[in-house]
Amino acid sequence: MILQLITPPETEPVTVAEVKAYLRIDQDEENEVIESLIKSAREVLEQYTLRAFLRQTWELILDRPGRYVYLPRPPIIEVQEVEIDGKALGPEQYELLGRDALVLKAGPGANLRVRYVSGYGDELESVPAAIRQAIMMLVGHMYENREGQPTDVKYQAQVTGALPTFIQKLAYPYRVINL
C-alpha cells in the first residue's frame, strides 16, 4: 500500500489570532512560530486520529485489492479517479460506501489507484470543536516547551513520546480504528 498526500489543506483548522487569544499573547513577534506550531499540531493530530481535518487530496495505490477498499484519512468528500491495472473506471463501476470505503463493482485487478478528497470541509468551522481545541492545546504545549523536554518533566508524555493525556482525551473519539 502506498498513500501519498497530493494536495495539502489550503488553511489550518485554527488561526494565529485564535491561538494568540487562547495563549494570551499580545505581541506579533511570535506569529511565525505560532503559525508553524499550528501546522505541526494539525499534522500530529491527523496522524494520531488517522483523519484529514480540512479538504486535502490523497492518492492510494494497492496491489491485489479486494472488492471493498478502505480509503485512509476519512471522512471522504469525493472520489476523483479510480484505475484498475491502468484502466480508468467510470463512476458507475465503483461506489463510495459510508465515508471511508470504496466498493468496486468492476472485477478485481492486480493494481488499484484511487485519488480522492477527504476532510470535514473547507471552513474552519467544519472541523469538530474538540479537534480545534486539541490543536490549540497542543500548540500551547509546544509553545511552552520549545526545547522538547523541560527540565522538570511536567508531563509524562514528554518522556514516552505520546501526546499529553488531556489532548488524547479530546482527540480520541475521532480516532479511526482499523480492525
Side-chain angles (χ1 to χ4, degrees):
M1 175 178 99
I2 299 171
L3 180 64
Q4 180 178 5
L5 178 63
I6 304 299
T7 308
E10 292 180 6
T11 186
E12 297 297 337
V14 296
T15 65
V16 171
E18 287 175 307
V19 170
K20 285 173 64 175
Y22 177 75
L23 298 177
R24 299 181 187 136
I25 298 172
D26 296 326
Q27 74 278 7
D28 293 334
E29 292 82 23
E30 300 281 343
N31 284 5
E32 286 183 27
V33 170
I34 292 169
E35 191 172 331
S36 174
L37 292 175
I38 291 170
K39 181 178 180 184
S40 295
R42 175 194 44 89
E43 289 174 350
V44 165
L45 285 165
E46 282 182 336
Q47 184 62 35
Y48 176 75
T49 62
L50 299 176
R51 290 189 180 275
F53 298 152
L54 288 168
R55 178 182 288 268
Q56 46 196 269
T57 305
W58 290 88
E59 186 169 275
L60 174 68
I61 298 173
L62 288 175
D63 293 334
R64 301 185 206 348
R67 183 169 178 219
Y68 296 93
V69 177
Y70 168 73
L71 299 176
R73 301 295 178 147
I76 308 306
I77 295 172
E78 70 173 312
V79 176
Q80 294 180 328
E81 301 172 23
V82 178
E83 286 182 4
I84 292 183
D85 296 330
K87 181 183 174 197
L89 300 183
E92 69 282 352
Q93 295 176 295
Y94 60 86
E95 177 183 352
L96 186 59
L97 181 64
R99 297 189 74 183
D100 64 358
L102 190 68
V103 179
L104 299 173
K105 297 177 183 177
N111 297 299
L112 172 72
R113 184 183 71 80
V114 182
R115 185 168 286 197
Y116 58 96
V117 178
S118 63
Y120 288 103
D122 294 315
E123 305 299 322
L124 307 179
E125 297 78 25
S126 60
V127 178
I131 294 294
R132 295 181 77 230
Q133 182 66 36
I135 290 171
M136 287 195 287
M137 292 175 83
L138 186 53
V139 168
H141 177 74
M142 292 187 298
Y143 183 82
E144 289 296 319
N145 301 289
R146 294 184 195 203
E147 282 76 41
Q149 182 173 333
T151 55
D152 61 348
V153 188
K154 292 180 189 176
Y155 306 105
Q156 182 64 25
Q158 292 172 318
V159 175
T160 64
L163 286 172
T165 305
F166 53 91
I167 295 170
Q168 285 183 29
K169 288 188 182 296
L170 283 168
Y172 188 80
Y174 298 94
R175 281 191 86 180
V176 172
I177 306 297
N178 292 323
L179 302 176

Short mmCIF file of all heavy atoms in Angstrom, two decimals, residues 105-128:
data_model
loop_
_atom_site.label_atom_id
_atom_site.label_comp_id
_atom_site.label_asym_id
_atom_site.label_seq_id
_atom_site.Cartn_x
_atom_site.Cartn_y
_atom_site.Cartn_z
N LYS A 105 -17.27 -2.33 -8.26
CA LYS A 105 -18.25 -3.16 -8.97
C LYS A 105 -17.58 -3.88 -10.14
O LYS A 105 -18.08 -4.88 -10.61
CB LYS A 105 -19.39 -2.29 -9.46
CG LYS A 105 -20.18 -1.64 -8.34
CD LYS A 105 -21.25 -0.73 -8.86
CE LYS A 105 -21.98 -0.03 -7.72
NZ LYS A 105 -22.99 0.91 -8.23
N ALA A 106 -16.45 -3.33 -10.58
CA ALA A 106 -15.68 -3.97 -11.65
C ALA A 106 -14.94 -5.16 -11.07
O ALA A 106 -14.72 -5.25 -9.86
CB ALA A 106 -14.70 -2.97 -12.26
N GLY A 107 -14.50 -6.06 -11.92
CA GLY A 107 -13.75 -7.23 -11.46
C GLY A 107 -12.42 -6.83 -10.83
O GLY A 107 -11.90 -5.75 -11.12
N PRO A 108 -11.88 -7.68 -9.98
CA PRO A 108 -10.61 -7.34 -9.33
C PRO A 108 -9.47 -7.31 -10.35
O PRO A 108 -9.51 -7.96 -11.38
CB PRO A 108 -10.43 -8.47 -8.32
CG PRO A 108 -11.22 -9.60 -8.86
CD PRO A 108 -12.36 -9.00 -9.61
N GLY A 109 -8.47 -6.55 -10.01
CA GLY A 109 -7.28 -6.45 -10.84
C GLY A 109 -6.06 -6.60 -9.97
O GLY A 109 -6.15 -6.81 -8.77
N ALA A 110 -4.90 -6.47 -10.57
CA ALA A 110 -3.66 -6.61 -9.82
C ALA A 110 -3.28 -5.32 -9.12
O ALA A 110 -2.70 -5.34 -8.05
CB ALA A 110 -2.54 -7.05 -10.75
N ASN A 111 -3.62 -4.16 -9.72
CA ASN A 111 -3.23 -2.88 -9.15
C ASN A 111 -4.41 -1.92 -9.15
O ASN A 111 -5.15 -1.83 -10.12
CB ASN A 111 -2.09 -2.26 -9.97
CG ASN A 111 -0.85 -3.12 -9.95
OD1 ASN A 111 -0.30 -3.35 -8.89
ND2 ASN A 111 -0.44 -3.61 -11.11
N LEU A 112 -4.53 -1.19 -8.06
CA LEU A 112 -5.60 -0.20 -7.92
C LEU A 112 -4.98 1.14 -7.57
O LEU A 112 -4.08 1.21 -6.73
CB LEU A 112 -6.57 -0.62 -6.80
CG LEU A 112 -7.63 0.41 -6.41
CD1 LEU A 112 -8.69 0.54 -7.50
CD2 LEU A 112 -8.27 0.04 -5.09
N ARG A 113 -5.46 2.20 -8.20
CA ARG A 113 -5.06 3.57 -7.86
C ARG A 113 -6.34 4.38 -7.68
O ARG A 113 -7.20 4.38 -8.54
CB ARG A 113 -4.21 4.20 -8.96
CG ARG A 113 -3.69 5.59 -8.56
CD ARG A 113 -2.89 6.26 -9.69
NE ARG A 113 -3.74 6.66 -10.79
CZ ARG A 113 -4.48 7.77 -10.81
NH1 ARG A 113 -4.50 8.59 -9.78
NH2 ARG A 113 -5.21 8.06 -11.86
N VAL A 114 -6.44 5.02 -6.52
CA VAL A 114 -7.61 5.85 -6.21
C VAL A 114 -7.12 7.23 -5.79
O VAL A 114 -6.27 7.34 -4.91
CB VAL A 114 -8.47 5.25 -5.07
CG1 VAL A 114 -9.69 6.11 -4.80
CG2 VAL A 114 -8.85 3.82 -5.36
N ARG A 115 -7.65 8.26 -6.42
CA ARG A 115 -7.38 9.63 -5.99
C ARG A 115 -8.69 10.16 -5.43
O ARG A 115 -9.74 10.07 -6.07
CB ARG A 115 -6.90 10.49 -7.15
CG ARG A 115 -6.51 11.89 -6.66
CD ARG A 115 -5.78 12.66 -7.71
NE ARG A 115 -4.42 12.14 -7.84
CZ ARG A 115 -3.44 12.79 -8.43
NH1 ARG A 115 -3.64 13.97 -8.94
NH2 ARG A 115 -2.23 12.25 -8.52
N TYR A 116 -8.61 10.72 -4.22
CA TYR A 116 -9.83 11.17 -3.55
C TYR A 116 -9.55 12.39 -2.68
O TYR A 116 -8.42 12.70 -2.35
CB TYR A 116 -10.44 10.04 -2.72
CG TYR A 116 -9.52 9.46 -1.67
CD1 TYR A 116 -9.59 9.91 -0.36
CD2 TYR A 116 -8.60 8.47 -1.99
CE1 TYR A 116 -8.76 9.38 0.62
CE2 TYR A 116 -7.76 7.94 -1.01
CZ TYR A 116 -7.85 8.39 0.28
OH TYR A 116 -7.03 7.87 1.25
N VAL A 117 -10.64 13.06 -2.34
CA VAL A 117 -10.59 14.26 -1.50
C VAL A 117 -11.21 13.89 -0.16
O VAL A 117 -12.27 13.27 -0.11
CB VAL A 117 -11.36 15.43 -2.15
CG1 VAL A 117 -11.35 16.65 -1.25
CG2 VAL A 117 -10.78 15.74 -3.52
N SER A 118 -10.52 14.27 0.91
CA SER A 118 -11.04 13.96 2.24
C SER A 118 -10.93 15.17 3.15
O SER A 118 -10.25 16.14 2.84
CB SER A 118 -10.31 12.76 2.83
OG SER A 118 -8.95 13.04 3.00
N GLY A 119 -11.62 15.09 4.28
CA GLY A 119 -11.64 16.15 5.27
C GLY A 119 -13.07 16.45 5.68
O GLY A 119 -14.01 15.95 5.09
N TYR A 120 -13.20 17.27 6.71
CA TYR A 120 -14.53 17.65 7.17
C TYR A 120 -15.13 18.76 6.31
O TYR A 120 -16.31 19.04 6.39
CB TYR A 120 -14.48 18.10 8.63
CG TYR A 120 -14.26 16.96 9.59
CD1 TYR A 120 -13.02 16.74 10.17
CD2 TYR A 120 -15.29 16.08 9.90
CE1 TYR A 120 -12.81 15.68 11.04
CE2 TYR A 120 -15.09 15.02 10.77
CZ TYR A 120 -13.85 14.83 11.33
OH TYR A 120 -13.65 13.78 12.19
N GLY A 121 -14.32 19.43 5.51
CA GLY A 121 -14.80 20.51 4.65
C GLY A 121 -13.71 21.53 4.43
O GLY A 121 -12.53 21.28 4.69
N ASP A 122 -14.14 22.71 3.93
CA ASP A 122 -13.19 23.79 3.60
C ASP A 122 -13.06 24.83 4.71
O ASP A 122 -12.08 25.54 4.78
CB ASP A 122 -13.65 24.53 2.34
CG ASP A 122 -13.60 23.63 1.12
OD1 ASP A 122 -12.60 22.93 0.94
OD2 ASP A 122 -14.57 23.64 0.34
N GLU A 123 -14.07 24.96 5.52
CA GLU A 123 -14.12 26.03 6.51
C GLU A 123 -13.61 25.56 7.87
O GLU A 123 -13.77 24.40 8.23
CB GLU A 123 -15.57 26.51 6.68
CG GLU A 123 -16.23 26.95 5.39
CD GLU A 123 -15.53 28.12 4.72
OE1 GLU A 123 -15.06 29.01 5.46
OE2 GLU A 123 -15.44 28.12 3.48
N LEU A 124 -13.01 26.48 8.61
CA LEU A 124 -12.51 26.16 9.95
C LEU A 124 -13.62 25.58 10.82
O LEU A 124 -13.40 24.65 11.59
CB LEU A 124 -11.96 27.41 10.63
CG LEU A 124 -10.91 28.24 9.91
CD1 LEU A 124 -10.52 29.44 10.75
CD2 LEU A 124 -9.72 27.41 9.56
N GLU A 125 -14.82 26.13 10.67
CA GLU A 125 -15.95 25.72 11.50
C GLU A 125 -16.43 24.30 11.17
O GLU A 125 -17.19 23.72 11.93
CB GLU A 125 -17.12 26.70 11.35
CG GLU A 125 -16.82 28.10 11.82
CD GLU A 125 -15.99 28.92 10.83
OE1 GLU A 125 -16.02 28.65 9.62
OE2 GLU A 125 -15.29 29.84 11.29
N SER A 126 -16.00 23.74 10.04
CA SER A 126 -16.41 22.38 9.70
C SER A 126 -15.64 21.33 10.50
O SER A 126 -16.07 20.19 10.60
CB SER A 126 -16.26 22.14 8.19
OG SER A 126 -14.92 22.30 7.78
N VAL A 127 -14.52 21.72 11.06
CA VAL A 127 -13.72 20.80 11.90
C VAL A 127 -14.37 20.74 13.28
O VAL A 127 -14.72 21.77 13.86
CB VAL A 127 -12.26 21.30 12.00
CG1 VAL A 127 -11.44 20.39 12.91
CG2 VAL A 127 -11.63 21.40 10.62
N PRO A 128 -14.54 19.53 13.83
CA PRO A 128 -15.16 19.42 15.15
C PRO A 128 -14.47 20.29 16.21
O PRO A 128 -13.24 20.42 16.21
CB PRO A 128 -15.02 17.93 15.48
CG PRO A 128 -14.96 17.26 14.15
CD PRO A 128 -14.23 18.22 13.26
#
